[in-house]
């Protein structure tokens, strides 16, 4: 069973920054994709960013392009999400997800992923 543990959430004012981390119990290099998702109360879970560790290919949701950056450290089996210029609408629970052996699906949609973390809360105040 793969475990994903997120950290780095918190409360910031609009315009601030946070860096989320996701530590995996399995080699991230062997995954198809590692992704970050978020879910606000009353809303569906949405894809924020994803990275293919082997190639370095990244994908971003339009709402975060230019503000968020996903990266990974294969030596630490850790994926990061650097979030800058945060807005109140970024407030949500953020989840790390990993796709091992799942060929089908697109990187910013949940069915692509077969392992999920417990989430870390991000709150942005105006």
């Amino acid at each position: 069973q793969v475990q994903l543990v997120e950290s780095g959430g918190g409360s910031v004012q609009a315009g601030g920054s946070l860096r989320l981390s996701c530590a995996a119990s399995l080699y991230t290099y062997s995954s198809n994709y590692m992704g970050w998702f978020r879910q606000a109360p009353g809303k569906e879970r949405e894809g924020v960013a994803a990275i293919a560790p082997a190639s370095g290919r990244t994908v971003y949701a339009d709402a975060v392009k230019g503000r968020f950056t996903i990266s990974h450290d294969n030596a630490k089996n850790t994926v990061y999400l650097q979030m800058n210029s945060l807005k109140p609408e970024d407030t949500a629970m953020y989840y790390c997800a990993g796709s091992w052996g799942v060929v089908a699906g697109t990187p910013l949609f949940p069915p692509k992923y077969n392992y999920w973390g417990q989430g870390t809360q991000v709150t942005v105040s105006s």
Side-chain angles (χ1 to χ4, degrees):
Q1 183 73 8
V2 178
Q3 290 187 325
L4 301 175
V5 180
E6 304 99 331
S7 61
S11 297
V12 295
Q13 290 190 327
S17 298
L18 283 172
R19 188 176 82 153
L20 305 183
S21 299
C22 172
S25 63
L26 192 62
Y27 295 119
T28 53
Y29 189 82
S30 65
S31 68
N32 301 113
Y33 271 93
M34 298 294 297
W36 285 97
F37 290 75
R38 66 186 181 187
Q39 188 168 18
K43 295 188 176 181
E44 291 187 355
R45 190 168 296 190
E46 62 175 354
V48 174
I51 186 167
S55 67
R57 178 180 182 251
T58 57
V59 182
Y60 294 94
D62 288 343
V64 306
K65 282 181 181 177
R67 299 189 298 122
F68 291 11
T69 302
I70 188 170
S71 63
H72 68 101
D73 185 333
N74 284 331
K76 297 181 178 179
N77 294 321
T78 300
V79 179
Y80 304 97
L81 185 67
Q82 178 66 44
M83 305 185 294
N84 298 327
S85 302
L86 282 161
K87 305 175 181 180
E89 50 264 44
D90 295 318
T91 296
M93 185 72 79
Y94 282 71
Y95 297 91
C96 174
S99 175
W100 275 272
V102 180
V103 178
T106 52
L108 292 182
F109 287 86
K112 177 66 175 176
Y113 298 87
N114 48 353
Y115 294 100
W116 293 83
Q118 294 299 308
T120 185
Q121 178 68 37
V122 172
T123 302
V124 184
S125 58
S126 58

